[in-house]
Amino acid sequence: MSLKFLLKAYAQVVAVAAVVVLLCVFLFNGLNDVRAQAWHERSLQPLMEWLAKVPDPAEQYHWMPALFGMKTGDHRDFPLSPVVRERLSYGQVVAEPSGEGFVFYVAAESGGLVRLNLEQPYRDLARATALIVRWHLDAVPPGARADTSRRLAQTLGVQINPLQQQADLPAQTVLDRLSSSGLALLRTEQGGLSGVVRLSEGDLIAVNMPEAFNPWGWPIVLLLALLVGGVLALGLYLALRFVDRHLRKVESVALRIARGEMGARVESQDGTLVSRLGLAFNGMAEHIQRLVQVQREMIHAVSHELRTPVARIRFGVQMIESASSPEALQKQMTGIDGDIQELDELIDEILTYARLEQGGPVFTLRDDSVTEIVEQVVAEQRIIREGVEIACRIDDGDGRWAQSDVEPRYIHRAVQNLVGNAARYAQGKVLVVCHMDEENCRVDVEDDGQGIPESDWEKVFTAFARLDDSRTRTSGGYGLGLSIVRRILYWHGGQAFVGRSEQLGGAKFSLVWPRRKSDQSVL
């Protein structure tokens, strides 16, 4: 997988994650604004309804205008929207954001409106409730405080508990604050607030408020989880749909190839998830198309090549029946034996070429001396080609680079094929030259024959190809040798070339392959 594709994929993942995070933040803040407003309306409803029933709350609770911005008046005294006025007409408590806090309205039973401006709604609600409780408990005799506490607790939606046991008393710093101001707010274990007040007789009363607003309540968490899960599911669906669409293209091309359309290919775009699959599939399709083409050519060529020796064998068998002397019989038997030998060589060439062309044998490369292989081939060909001078030239400086990762048997065959062809078509001289360096091995085989026209340089490596009358069956060979040479070099990671010899004037064949390969087994 390319670095470009990984970076692109990571960038897309980061972009999607950023969008999801921003969406969650906006949704979280928006929903919590609505939830906070509704929660404050519910939490202030008991206190606001209590104030709505008091004939003149600003006069009775004289501290509330200064501490909590209490104001009473007619509807015309407050700039309210139609929606707020309609809600107030239904007896609801309405909260409107104001800076960091809220402004609360409720319709009084006297016909006007009561307004509270709380900068810290929950804290101010605890202070106001505790002060109201202290005012009412101070206003009744000690014997009636229990009933008054129950009525206030039920009406205001709080818990009112007298602190009578030593263990219930707060810390000394809280007691000092109560002595000076008569009110202290404490944080409870549940996360709420408790307003502790000191009555005129010195009794301590704790007013426990309901739990504070929790922005991470289970509804919001569940909604965010559903949102994230939905976005991830949508992203996964789109990604799988994208992959499926490209895989269907590969599938359709595979079906077309199965129907015989060997030229069908996958149109893959760079950077897509399945682009490498498309490239690999196209490479496989090209290989299959080439194998099918090679098979067709081989069938056609083999059927043509086999006709001549088979016809000669059939003719020889017929002549045996009519042979009149032992000498004639022996002549026909010798001819038949030669034709069978020719068939055996042809079949061996065809099988070798087929193995190399259709995927190759398993090449077990090992460290061996290329110069020794070349010298061995030259020595063998000198014995066979007595009328041709075969020279071998290896520079002294190249000897230290002679060792290479090769399959000796196949390199031997490739060099032998070139030297044999050169000796077959040479006027009288063949030159084999080895060039070795740290990176590559090169073997050049040159002859002083007629050479090969430049227009036919690529054609000579085609199976069963014969160029002209000088390179026909009468000179030997079946047109497979150079094809085998090229395939051997291909499986060694190299190439075979043909050109013109500057020294001898004939053809020049070159084999080039890397000295070392990291993978010692090539399939």
Side-chain angles (χ1 to χ4, degrees):
M1 188 174 292
S2 65
L3 178 61
K4 179 180 178 181
F5 174 77
L6 286 176
L7 293 177
K8 184 178 180 181
Y10 288 147
Q12 292 176 349
V13 171
V14 170
V16 172
V19 171
V20 172
V21 170
L22 289 176
L23 184 60
C24 289
V25 169
F26 289 144
L27 183 62
F28 179 81
N29 291 333
L31 290 177
N32 273 334
D33 289 343
V34 176
R35 292 179 62 238
Q37 183 172 347
W39 183 88
H40 286 107
E41 288 179 351
R42 291 194 304 270
S43 61
L44 264 291
Q45 184 173 355
L47 176 62
M48 296 298 291
E49 290 180 349
W50 173 276
L51 296 176
K53 296 177 181 179
V54 177
D56 191 355
E59 181 179 353
Q60 182 170 342
Y61 307 124
H62 55 85
W63 68 88
M64 295 196 71
L67 295 179
F68 309 111
M70 174 186 284
K71 184 178 181 181
T72 60
D74 191 75
H75 289 74
R76 293 186 297 271
D77 298 334
F78 304 99
L80 303 176
S81 65
V83 176
V84 173
R85 294 182 184 277
E86 183 177 0
R87 292 185 59 190
L88 290 174
S89 66
Y90 297 148
Q92 297 180 359
V93 176
V94 179
E96 287 191 327
S98 175
E100 297 295 330
F102 287 90
V103 175
F104 298 89
Y105 296 93
V106 69
E109 292 186 356
S110 60
L113 292 180
V114 178
R115 188 195 74 171
L116 283 183
N117 186 5
L118 305 183
E119 295 181 359
Q120 298 180 0
Y122 185 62
R123 184 179 182 85
D124 290 343
L125 171 63
R127 293 175 61 200
T129 304
L131 290 175
I132 290 176
V133 169
R134 185 182 69 175
W135 187 89
H136 282 278
L137 293 181
D138 273 338
V140 298
R145 286 175 182 172
D147 294 337
T148 303
S149 296
R150 284 194 296 271
R151 180 172 57 86
L152 289 172
Q154 182 178 3
T155 304
L156 297 177
V158 296
Q159 295 179 356
I160 301 175
N161 301 315
L163 302 180
Q164 298 174 346
Q165 303 295 328
Q166 185 68 27
D168 297 334
L169 296 178
Q172 185 62 42
T173 55
V174 178
L175 295 176
D176 294 340
R177 199 187 318 159
L178 288 172
S179 300
S180 60
S181 62
L183 172 65
L185 296 179
L186 304 178
R187 183 69 62 179
T188 64
E189 295 180 356
Q190 293 76 20
L193 285 178
S194 176
V196 180
V197 294
R198 182 174 180 274
L199 302 182
S200 58
E201 289 84 1
D203 296 339
L204 298 182
I205 303 296
V207 181
N208 298 322
M209 304 298 296
E211 292 185 5
F213 172 71
N214 181 17
W216 292 101
W218 69 265
I220 193 70
V221 173
L222 178 60
L223 184 59
L224 291 178
L226 291 176
L227 174 63
V228 173
V231 172
L232 293 179
L234 178 61
L236 180 62
Y237 168 75
L238 294 177
L240 292 178
R241 184 179 179 184
F242 174 81
V243 174
D244 181 70
R245 183 170 66 252
H246 285 78
L247 290 180
R248 286 182 182 275
K249 293 181 180 179
V250 178
E251 181 185 12
S252 64
V253 173
L255 293 176
R256 289 171 59 190
I257 293 177
R259 291 196 299 264
E261 299 180 32
M262 303 305 297
R265 296 293 183 270
V266 178
E267 297 181 0
S268 58
Q269 300 177 352
D270 294 338
T272 60
L273 187 61
V274 292
S275 59
R276 296 184 64 191
L277 175 62
L279 293 176
F281 185 89
N282 288 341
M284 180 194 68
E286 291 175 2
H287 184 65
I288 293 175
Q289 184 179 17
R290 183 172 57 83
L291 291 180
V292 172
Q293 182 66 25
V294 167
Q295 186 182 44
R296 292 174 180 172
E297 293 175 354
M298 286 185 59
I299 292 174
H300 176 74
V302 167
S303 62
H304 175 74
E305 295 290 341
L306 291 178
R307 284 195 181 98
T308 299
V310 170
R312 291 203 301 265
I313 292 174
R314 183 181 292 110
F315 178 76
V317 171
Q318 294 175 355
M319 293 300 294
I320 288 176
E321 296 176 354
S322 60
S324 57
S325 63
E327 292 79 6
L329 178 61
Q330 182 62 35
K331 180 180 178 180
Q332 296 300 324
M333 293 294 293
T334 301
I336 292 174
D337 184 68
D339 292 331
I340 293 175
Q341 179 65 26
E342 181 179 342
L343 280 176
D344 183 64
E345 293 176 357
L346 174 60
I347 292 172
D348 179 68
E349 292 282 287
I350 291 173
L351 291 177
T352 301
Y353 176 72
R355 286 198 304 271
L356 292 170
E357 187 67 34
Q358 296 180 4
V362 176
F363 276 14
T364 303
L365 304 181
R366 68 171 188 262
D367 187 46
D368 208 330
S369 174
V370 177
T371 56
E372 291 181 2
I373 296 175
V374 173
E375 290 173 345
Q376 179 183 0
V377 172
V378 171
E380 294 171 352
Q381 291 297 315
R382 284 172 178 169
I383 298 174
I384 300 174
R385 312 289 181 177
E386 296 181 354
V388 179
E389 178 187 352
I390 304 178
C392 179
R393 189 177 72 199
I394 302 174
D395 296 337
D396 294 336
D398 294 341
R400 58 175 179 165
W401 307 116
Q403 298 296 123
S404 175
D405 294 333
V406 295
E407 213 296 340
R409 182 165 58 95
Y410 281 96
I411 289 294
H412 182 282
R413 178 161 187 165
V415 177
Q416 175 183 284
N417 196 304
L418 293 185
V419 176
N421 280 350
R424 185 180 300 120
Y425 301 118
Q427 298 291 336
K429 187 173 182 179
V430 174
L431 176 63
V432 182
V433 182
C434 292
H435 303 279
M436 308 291 174
D437 57 34
E438 186 177 0
E439 299 294 333
N440 299 303
C441 297
R442 176 168 180 156
V443 178
D444 295 330
V445 180
E446 308 177 36
D447 63 65
D448 59 353
Q450 297 181 6
I452 300 174
E454 185 175 352
S455 59
D456 295 329
W457 282 358
E458 188 63 29
K459 184 179 178 182
V460 296
F461 293 103
T462 304
F464 301 102
R466 293 189 176 87
L467 304 182
D468 52 36
D469 293 339
S470 66
R471 294 175 179 265
T472 59
R473 189 179 292 106
T474 59
S475 300
Y478 309 98
L480 286 174
L482 294 179
S483 299
I484 292 175
V485 169
R486 170 163 281 190
R487 297 311 294 174
I488 290 175
L489 266 293
Y490 171 79
W491 292 114
H492 276 81
Q495 293 186 13
F497 306 94
V498 63
R500 183 173 299 279
S501 173
E502 297 180 358
Q503 300 186 49
L504 303 181
K508 176 183 178 180
F509 286 86
S510 301
L511 308 180
V512 181
W513 70 93
R515 283 188 64 247
R516 299 298 181 187
K517 294 180 71 67
S518 58
D519 187 359
Q520 296 297 312
S521 296
V522 182
L523 297 181

